[in-house]
Amino acid sequence: ILAAVASAVLPVCNAFLVLLVVSAIYAIIGANWFHATAPEYFENFHTALFTMFQVLTGDSWASSVSRGMFTDCETSVCKTDTGVAFFFVSYILIASLMLLNVVVAVLLGE
């Protein structure tokens, strides 16, 4: 077991590095797009990267982070912002469903 874990350390680190790069790209995009809308989550790069980590782990991101950003109720009619929905759904699909499964596949392949 120790030999298998030791041989899987480098490939798993490479997979986590790719995951970090994807999260950093989304954090940069989120900080540029949403710093005025939700400064408590996207004020700067570090805050946005932590928010992306929260979304990746599933730590109540739907209720606390994105729920207030999905709807635009400044007028009398509330509407869903599809750009926000696309941002979060694409991040979940890419980071959570694809890249975390790559990490598991690397661990099982060794």
Side-chain angles (χ1 to χ4, degrees):
I1 293 176
L2 292 175
V5 169
S7 67
V9 167
L10 187 61
V12 168
C13 287
N14 288 336
F16 275 131
L17 182 66
V18 171
L19 182 61
L20 177 67
V21 168
V22 169
S23 295
I25 290 170
Y26 269 86
I28 291 169
I29 293 170
N32 284 330
W33 286 355
F34 307 127
H35 67 90
T37 308
E40 64 274 11
Y41 300 115
F42 293 101
E43 182 178 8
N44 54 27
F45 173 73
H46 298 101
T47 307
L49 188 61
F50 185 74
T51 301
M52 291 294 100
F53 179 73
Q54 180 181 359
V55 171
L56 180 66
T57 59
D59 180 27
S60 71
W61 69 273
S63 62
S64 65
V65 175
S66 63
R67 184 66 60 193
M69 297 171 61
F70 277 135
T71 57
D72 180 21
C73 292
E74 291 181 7
T75 62
S76 60
V77 177
C78 292
K79 60 181 180 176
T80 301
D81 188 358
T82 55
V84 174
F86 180 76
F87 177 79
F88 284 109
V89 169
S90 66
Y91 180 71
I92 289 294
L93 290 175
I94 292 171
S96 190
L97 295 179
M98 288 174 51
L99 292 177
L100 285 181
N101 285 330
V102 168
V103 172
V104 172
V106 166
L107 283 172
L108 293 176
E110 292 297 320

